[in-house]
Amino acid sequence: VVGLTAGADDYMIKPFDPIELIARVKSALRRSREMRDANPLTQLPGNVQVQEEVARRVASGTPFALMYIDLDNFKAFNDHYGFLRGDEAIKLLARCTAESVDRHQDEESFLGHVGGDDFVVIVEPDAAEPLAQDIIRLWNGRIVELYDTEDVEQGYIEVADRRKELHRFPFITVSIGIASNTGRAIDSHWAASEIAAEMKAFAKNDGGSSYAIDRRRTDGGD
């Protein structure tokens, strides 16, 4: 008890099994690496773990959907309210996404925080669209909590540019791009992320919170 209270990760009682000792040391090192790689703001798996997980899914060849999530009009919000409230917006997106993933949970689901306002979710292909809809529903219902009352009443914020000219920005929305290996072959984690980023760009063109799914097929079908 004294050792654990002082900061020890584990302990063994003599006589001990050398194989068990090695296993416990490896486990402690793995936990340490995961904590080091986690995003400091949300404590979710960070960029390195995200890349490793996507690469693992690609290598396994099993069906998966990669969801790339970020915020629209976030910079204006950050400039207007300051980085501390900007961090709250990022943490809100993390909570909305985590709640949705838990609600549609399967054994293979994965949620990571690449950095900034960029998040990645990996799920079974059939779960991707209802999950995206749920994330958007939660986000749209909660984002107004981060705005001042007068801004909520007028429905926008005003942010000055470098020339001190005011511009109106609507509330932050969320865009989600979805890539899947069910209709087309994905041979690398780079390809998966590029497809998801492309779909996210399409979602941003819709206006408001939106998602877009890559439905193209390798065989040229619909």
Side-chain angles (χ1 to χ4, degrees):
V1 172
V2 172
L4 292 173
T5 303
D9 291 302
D10 205 344
Y11 72 95
M12 296 182 66
I13 299 174
K14 295 180 179 180
F16 58 82
D17 183 345
I19 296 177
E20 182 183 358
L21 172 62
I22 293 172
R24 287 178 180 268
V25 170
K26 287 182 177 179
S27 178
L29 291 173
R30 183 176 63 253
R31 289 196 304 269
S32 176
R33 184 175 69 87
E34 289 174 352
M35 292 178 62
R36 184 178 65 251
D37 292 340
N39 185 279
L41 181 62
T42 60
Q43 298 304 307
L44 292 171
N47 188 45
V48 172
Q49 292 164 283
V50 169
Q51 291 187 36
E52 291 176 348
E53 183 65 21
V54 178
R56 185 183 72 81
R57 301 297 180 101
V58 171
S60 72
T62 57
F64 71 91
L66 174 66
M67 305 174 65
Y68 187 6
I69 308 166
D70 81 352
L71 300 176
D72 312 311
N73 301 313
F74 175 69
K75 183 180 183 305
F77 178 91
N78 210 44
D79 290 344
H80 184 69
Y81 289 117
F83 70 91
L84 289 178
R85 206 180 304 194
D87 284 351
E88 290 302 316
I90 292 172
K91 289 191 286 187
L92 175 61
L93 180 58
R95 290 194 299 272
C96 291
T97 305
E99 288 180 29
S100 296
V101 169
D102 288 342
R103 190 175 293 116
H104 298 83
Q105 189 172 19
D106 61 73
E107 293 182 358
E108 295 298 317
S109 61
F110 173 86
L111 168 59
H113 185 182
V114 178
D117 60 330
D118 293 335
F119 290 81
V120 164
V121 175
I122 307 175
V123 291
E124 294 181 352
D126 291 342
E129 186 165 10
L131 178 59
Q133 294 170 346
D134 201 28
I135 293 170
I136 289 173
R137 178 185 62 82
L138 290 176
W139 176 265
N140 288 345
R142 298 177 182 177
I143 183 55
V144 292
E145 299 171 4
L146 295 183
Y147 284 82
D148 290 345
T149 302
E150 57 269 26
D151 293 329
V152 173
E153 291 174 350
Q154 65 186 10
Y156 59 85
I157 58 175
E158 290 187 326
V159 181
D161 61 18
R162 294 180 180 178
R163 290 183 283 186
K164 307 301 181 182
E165 296 178 356
L166 290 176
H167 299 271
R168 293 180 179 181
F169 292 89
F171 294 159
I172 301 176
T173 54
V174 60
S175 292
I176 305 173
I178 303 173
S180 175
N181 64 348
T182 55
R184 62 188 298 184
I186 296 179
D187 58 8
S188 71
H189 65 288
W190 301 112
S193 62
E194 287 172 3
I195 295 169
E198 181 185 4
M199 292 300 102
K200 183 165 64 69
F202 277 113
K204 287 181 179 294
N205 292 329
D206 286 346
S209 293
S210 183
Y211 65 91
I213 304 174
D214 180 35
R215 302 187 189 277
R216 293 167 294 185
R217 303 183 64 87
T218 303
D219 58 12
D222 295 335

